Amino acid sequence: MKISVIGCGYLGAVHAACMAELGHEVVGVDVDGARVERLARGEAPFYEPGFAEVLARNVGEGRLRFTTDMGEVAGARVHFIGVGTPQRESGLAADLSHLDAAMTDLVAVMAEHPVAGALVVGKSTVPVGTAARLQAWCEDAGVAATVVWNPEFLREGFAVKDTLTPDRVVYGLPEDRVAGEAARDVLDEVYAGVLVHGMPRLLANYQTAELVKVAANSFLATKISFINAIAELCEATGADVTRLAEALGHDERIGPKFLRAGVGFGGGCLPKDIRAFMARAGELGVDQALTFLREVDGINQRRRQHAVALAERHFGGSVRGRRVAILGAAFKPDSDDLRDSPALYVATRLVGQGADVVVTDPIALPGLHARYPHIQTAPDARAACLDAELVMLLTEWREFTTLDPQRLGAIVQDRAVIDGRNALDPQAWEAAGWTYHGMGRASTTW
Ligand code: UGA
């Protein structure tokens, strides 16, 4: 099928490549000329395991191309919208300017080159009510297209796998049954290679589909902040949050995932999505329903601040002039994404307080240099830790969590580590002579 993907950021670029991988003829559109050039050459503009291969193969075999010219989407049956919906500069709400700009251009192309049964399929995370607005927009412009909301649940680091083998697919369909059934059948055809036997494919109205996405991210954020709040209690009492989380996780109703206490959640999704959700609830007059998310956000901010406070406390109050090695810059491992990264927050705060900070990260250093040229970096953990008075593990890359405390101990000035992800074995590090500080993690016999 001839498909367009509008917006080739993280979500859109991966989606475009995966749709081509399914055998469709895909054109990806983005306003960023440099990004489009790289994608068109089959080069991944960000780090994502497995993506570069899928991209290069499909560009090479001619099923996938990229352009800045919206005119080239003419004739496509399905237009996926994957533009960014970041937090507004002022306030908590989502900035829909990219979405509206894309729609303006797309509607103009669809008006000039009508395609029978065309679909506009939204994948971006949007405030509830957006799909209905876009459907009305098409109708007002005399464009006979059906809008569907098809939220994306992919995780960075697993983006290709999550797109090709998702755990569920949701179609948000219009109230008009005939139009909805026709749209459902077209999307079933698009996703024929994905909809394997037994994989849940849920049909819902627009509002439900839009809310599923923000509800899912809010739940994940709440789970992380819940365990981080418990970590605060553990710190106050001498309990150990990792053992506690393990015991909680054995209850099937709770489950072990997303209960890793540490410096908290970051990235381009969870933080801005919970804020936009609160803002939308306020507009709808049901802000009380989501006031708990303010607390979720607050707990999350406190944990990164706590990591800074631990460093200050370690040095008796001031970090000025102290040599600190920071392991990790990305918001999570297997990603070079620095958006709202807790590691970056800690690094910039310590630099701001006059510490002599050296940051390392296996993948994210080019992005760090570009945006924060004043932050010192080193190519690997050993180089970063040379003569350090304090080591802080803030992104749990495997190359950091498997460091040998004995060998690392030989090159630092002081054997002190803050494990911001509770990813190290405290006993092994203490046995090698290190002072270990976890996040809500006590050093106990049991
Ligand atoms: C998140 C969701 O998990 C995806 O389902 C969703 O599609 C995506 O946002 C999106 O809206 O696009 P992602 O931002 O890639 O995916 O990252 P997560 O794996 O959810 O991790 C988010 C943050 O939480 C990271 O900083 C991670 O370190 C932190 N985290 C995660 C914890 O601190 N503790 C945990 O137990 C788990």
Side-chain angles (χ1 to χ4, degrees):
M1 197 180 296
K2 200 171 171 214
I3 285 175
S4 85
V5 178
I6 298 158
C8 291
Y10 213 97
L11 186 169
V14 173
H15 194 70
C18 289
M19 291 304 100
E21 184 77 358
L22 294 174
H24 301 298
E25 189 192 322
V26 182
V27 58
V29 186
D30 201 283
V31 290
D32 179 341
R35 173 176 286 256
V36 162
E37 261 176 44
R38 290 191 69 175
L39 286 165
R41 284 199 300 271
E43 275 173 40
F46 47 79
Y47 177 79
E48 176 63 42
F51 171 59
E53 293 79 357
V54 179
L55 175 72
R57 181 168 53 244
N58 285 283
V59 168
E61 291 174 6
R63 277 187 300 275
L64 175 61
R65 62 201 171 82
F66 293 92
T67 177
T68 52
D69 177 9
M70 186 69 87
E72 292 193 36
V73 309
R77 177 81 186 274
V78 176
H79 304 281
F80 283 104
I81 310 263
V83 295
T85 51
Q87 186 175 339
R88 274 189 213 162
E89 301 254 324
S90 58
L92 299 183
D95 172 1
L96 300 180
S97 60
H98 306 291
L99 178 71
D100 288 352
M103 264 308 275
T104 304
D105 293 349
L106 174 62
V107 166
V109 174
M110 289 193 298
E112 207 173 317
H113 305 277
V115 171
L119 300 189
V120 174
V121 183
K123 296 208 73 72
S124 307
T125 302
V126 291
V128 57
T130 302
R133 179 169 72 84
L134 300 191
Q135 182 65 65
W137 188 339
C138 290
E139 285 162 16
D140 292 347
V143 167
T146 303
V147 172
V148 178
W149 219 261
N150 172 221
E152 179 56 62
F153 303 105
L154 68 78
R155 298 159 297 170
E156 295 191 15
F158 301 90
V160 173
K161 178 179 163 289
D162 286 351
T163 306
L164 291 174
T165 55
D167 45 18
R168 82 287 211 191
V169 170
V170 177
Y171 299 171
L173 299 169
E175 286 304 312
D176 179 323
R177 184 163 276 281
V178 176
E181 284 176 353
R184 175 201 63 196
D185 293 347
V186 175
L187 261 194
D188 280 350
E189 207 181 318
V190 171
Y191 288 137
V194 168
L195 296 169
V196 290
H197 181 69
M199 203 261 289
R201 194 265 267 128
L202 293 108
L203 308 183
N205 64 10
Y206 285 156
Q207 299 91 311
T208 310
E210 291 165 326
L211 284 173
V212 167
K213 170 64 197 219
V214 275
N217 276 1
S218 297
F219 189 81
L220 294 171
T222 303
K223 214 172 167 191
I224 299 168
S225 278
F226 172 81
I227 201 65
N228 278 331
I230 299 297
E232 293 184 359
L233 265 295
C234 289
E235 274 150 16
T237 55
D240 186 292
V241 75
T242 50
R243 185 53 50 85
L244 182 150
E246 189 186 337
L248 283 183
H250 285 298
D251 184 329
E252 272 185 5
R253 296 166 304 175
I254 299 174
K257 293 187 180 154
F258 271 66
L259 281 183
R260 277 178 290 114
V263 283
F265 58 82
C269 303
L270 263 44
K272 66 107 176 156
D273 285 354
I274 60 170
R275 293 172 197 152
F277 200 14
M278 282 186 271
R280 187 69 183 121
E283 287 167 8
L284 294 165
V286 285
D287 43 333
Q288 277 191 340
L290 297 186
T291 41
F292 74 96
L293 287 178
R294 208 185 302 155
E295 213 41 59
V296 166
D297 202 5
I299 294 163
N300 195 49
Q301 296 305 318
R302 278 209 299 278
R303 294 320 277 168
R304 46 181 84 178
Q305 289 156 8
H306 179 67
V308 174
L310 275 178
E312 290 165 350
R313 205 180 306 158
H314 176 75
F315 290 120
S318 169
V319 297
R320 181 161 297 280
R322 310 312 287 257
R323 174 86 176 73
V324 181
I326 293 192
L327 306 183
F331 84 105
K332 70 173 190 181
D334 287 318
S335 168
D336 61 357
D337 199 336
L338 295 168
R339 285 178 292 174
D340 213 335
S341 164
L344 191 57
Y345 171 90
V346 173
T348 51
R349 282 291 298 272
L350 293 180
V351 169
Q353 291 176 26
D356 175 13
V357 171
V358 180
V359 179
T360 189
D361 189 287
I363 302 289
L365 292 187
L368 187 68
H369 288 147
R371 285 177 48 203
Y372 301 89
H374 64 290
I375 297 185
Q376 275 188 76
T377 61
D380 57 39
R382 284 185 69 79
C385 292
L386 197 64
D387 294 330
E389 298 175 78
L390 174 66
V391 174
M392 299 183 81
L393 171 74
L394 298 177
T395 313
E396 69 277 34
W397 287 91
R398 229 186 103 71
E399 39 272 81
F400 302 154
T401 60
T402 54
L403 280 167
D404 177 354
Q406 202 71 50
R407 289 189 60 211
L408 201 69
I411 62 161
V412 295
Q413 214 180 114
D414 287 325
R415 296 186 177 202
V417 63
I418 293 176
D419 180 3
R421 292 292 183 178
N422 290 346
L424 304 174
D425 175 356
Q427 259 129 20
W429 284 67
E430 282 171 356
W434 289 76
T435 306
Y436 175 93
H437 308 274
M439 302 286 289
R441 212 173 181 191
S443 178
T444 63
T445 316
W446 306 109

